[in-house]
PDB file of all heavy atoms in Angstrom:
ATOM      1  N   LEU A 185      36.022  -4.782  -1.918  1.00  0.00           N
ATOM      2  CA  LEU A 185      35.851  -3.972  -3.144  1.00  0.00           C
ATOM      3  C   LEU A 185      36.312  -4.739  -4.333  1.00  0.00           C
ATOM      4  O   LEU A 185      36.476  -4.145  -5.425  1.00  0.00           O
ATOM      5  CB  LEU A 185      36.640  -2.637  -3.138  1.00  0.00           C
ATOM      6  CG  LEU A 185      36.243  -1.636  -1.963  1.00  0.00           C
ATOM      7  CD1 LEU A 185      37.087  -0.436  -2.056  1.00  0.00           C
ATOM      8  CD2 LEU A 185      34.740  -1.221  -2.124  1.00  0.00           C
ATOM      9  N   SER A 186      36.427  -6.083  -4.218  1.00  0.00           N
ATOM     10  CA  SER A 186      36.983  -6.841  -5.235  1.00  0.00           C
ATOM     11  C   SER A 186      35.952  -7.441  -6.304  1.00  0.00           C
ATOM     12  O   SER A 186      36.294  -7.923  -7.335  1.00  0.00           O
ATOM     13  CB  SER A 186      37.791  -7.998  -4.756  1.00  0.00           C
ATOM     14  OG  SER A 186      36.967  -8.993  -4.136  1.00  0.00           O
ATOM     15  N   VAL A 187      34.657  -7.269  -6.058  1.00  0.00           N
ATOM     16  CA  VAL A 187      33.696  -7.749  -6.893  1.00  0.00           C
ATOM     17  C   VAL A 187      33.641  -6.795  -8.189  1.00  0.00           C
ATOM     18  O   VAL A 187      33.308  -5.588  -8.010  1.00  0.00           O
ATOM     19  CB  VAL A 187      32.349  -7.884  -6.229  1.00  0.00           C
ATOM     20  CG1 VAL A 187      31.247  -8.361  -7.260  1.00  0.00           C
ATOM     21  CG2 VAL A 187      32.373  -8.943  -5.082  1.00  0.00           C
ATOM     22  N   ARG A 188      33.769  -7.425  -9.321  1.00  0.00           N
ATOM     23  CA  ARG A 188      33.799  -6.521 -10.478  1.00  0.00           C
ATOM     24  C   ARG A 188      32.812  -7.131 -11.492  1.00  0.00           C
ATOM     25  O   ARG A 188      32.418  -8.287 -11.490  1.00  0.00           O
ATOM     26  CB  ARG A 188      35.279  -6.534 -11.096  1.00  0.00           C
ATOM     27  CG  ARG A 188      36.296  -5.926 -10.186  1.00  0.00           C
ATOM     28  CD  ARG A 188      36.060  -4.463  -9.975  1.00  0.00           C
ATOM     29  NE  ARG A 188      36.031  -3.746 -11.234  1.00  0.00           N
ATOM     30  CZ  ARG A 188      37.149  -3.224 -11.832  1.00  0.00           C
ATOM     31  NH1 ARG A 188      38.331  -3.468 -11.278  1.00  0.00           N
ATOM     32  NH2 ARG A 188      37.022  -2.481 -12.926  1.00  0.00           N
ATOM     33  N   ALA A 189      32.486  -6.259 -12.457  1.00  0.00           N
ATOM     34  CA  ALA A 189      31.565  -6.668 -13.521  1.00  0.00           C
ATOM     35  C   ALA A 189      32.313  -6.731 -14.858  1.00  0.00           C
ATOM     36  O   ALA A 189      33.011  -5.722 -15.230  1.00  0.00           O
ATOM     37  CB  ALA A 189      30.375  -5.723 -13.600  1.00  0.00           C
ATOM     38  N   ALA A 190      32.187  -7.776 -15.614  1.00  0.00           N
ATOM     39  CA  ALA A 190      32.876  -7.856 -16.907  1.00  0.00           C
ATOM     40  C   ALA A 190      31.793  -7.967 -18.049  1.00  0.00           C
ATOM     41  O   ALA A 190      30.746  -8.631 -17.918  1.00  0.00           O
ATOM     42  CB  ALA A 190      33.711  -9.143 -16.942  1.00  0.00           C
ATOM     43  N   LEU A 191      32.107  -7.284 -19.119  1.00  0.00           N
ATOM     44  CA  LEU A 191      31.164  -7.389 -20.259  1.00  0.00           C
ATOM     45  C   LEU A 191      31.676  -8.557 -21.101  1.00  0.00           C
ATOM     46  O   LEU A 191      32.829  -8.589 -21.520  1.00  0.00           O
ATOM     47  CB  LEU A 191      31.255  -6.036 -21.068  1.00  0.00           C
ATOM     48  CG  LEU A 191      30.390  -5.936 -22.280  1.00  0.00           C
ATOM     49  CD1 LEU A 191      28.870  -6.011 -21.908  1.00  0.00           C
ATOM     50  CD2 LEU A 191      30.647  -4.608 -23.014  1.00  0.00           C
ATOM     51  N   VAL A 192      30.777  -9.553 -21.314  1.00  0.00           N
ATOM     52  CA  VAL A 192      31.127 -10.690 -22.049  1.00  0.00           C
ATOM     53  C   VAL A 192      30.259 -10.784 -23.316  1.00  0.00           C
ATOM     54  O   VAL A 192      29.017 -10.767 -23.217  1.00  0.00           O
ATOM     55  CB  VAL A 192      30.834 -12.021 -21.147  1.00  0.00           C
ATOM     56  CG1 VAL A 192      31.166 -13.265 -22.010  1.00  0.00           C
ATOM     57  CG2 VAL A 192      31.790 -11.921 -19.920  1.00  0.00           C
ATOM     58  N   GLU A 193      30.884 -10.996 -24.452  1.00  0.00           N
ATOM     59  CA  GLU A 193      30.142 -11.104 -25.780  1.00  0.00           C
ATOM     60  C   GLU A 193      30.358 -12.513 -26.260  1.00  0.00           C
ATOM     61  O   GLU A 193      31.531 -12.989 -26.333  1.00  0.00           O
ATOM     62  CB  GLU A 193      30.628 -10.095 -26.712  1.00  0.00           C
ATOM     63  CG  GLU A 193      29.842 -10.110 -27.937  1.00  0.00           C
ATOM     64  CD  GLU A 193      30.205  -8.805 -28.863  1.00  0.00           C
ATOM     65  OE1 GLU A 193      31.222  -8.148 -28.576  1.00  0.00           O
ATOM     66  OE2 GLU A 193      29.465  -8.563 -29.855  1.00  0.00           O
ATOM     67  N   LEU A 194      29.299 -13.167 -26.638  1.00  0.00           N
ATOM     68  CA  LEU A 194      29.327 -14.569 -27.092  1.00  0.00           C
ATOM     69  C   LEU A 194      29.259 -14.650 -28.603  1.00  0.00           C
ATOM     70  O   LEU A 194      28.814 -13.724 -29.324  1.00  0.00           O
ATOM     71  CB  LEU A 194      28.109 -15.336 -26.515  1.00  0.00           C
ATOM     72  CG  LEU A 194      28.055 -15.317 -24.941  1.00  0.00           C
ATOM     73  CD1 LEU A 194      26.829 -16.073 -24.466  1.00  0.00           C
ATOM     74  CD2 LEU A 194      29.337 -15.800 -24.381  1.00  0.00           C
TER      75      LEU A 194
END
Side-chain angles (χ1 to χ4, degrees):
L185 297 178
S186 68
V187 177
R188 299 293 302 274
L191 184 61
V192 177
E193 187 170 10
L194 305 179

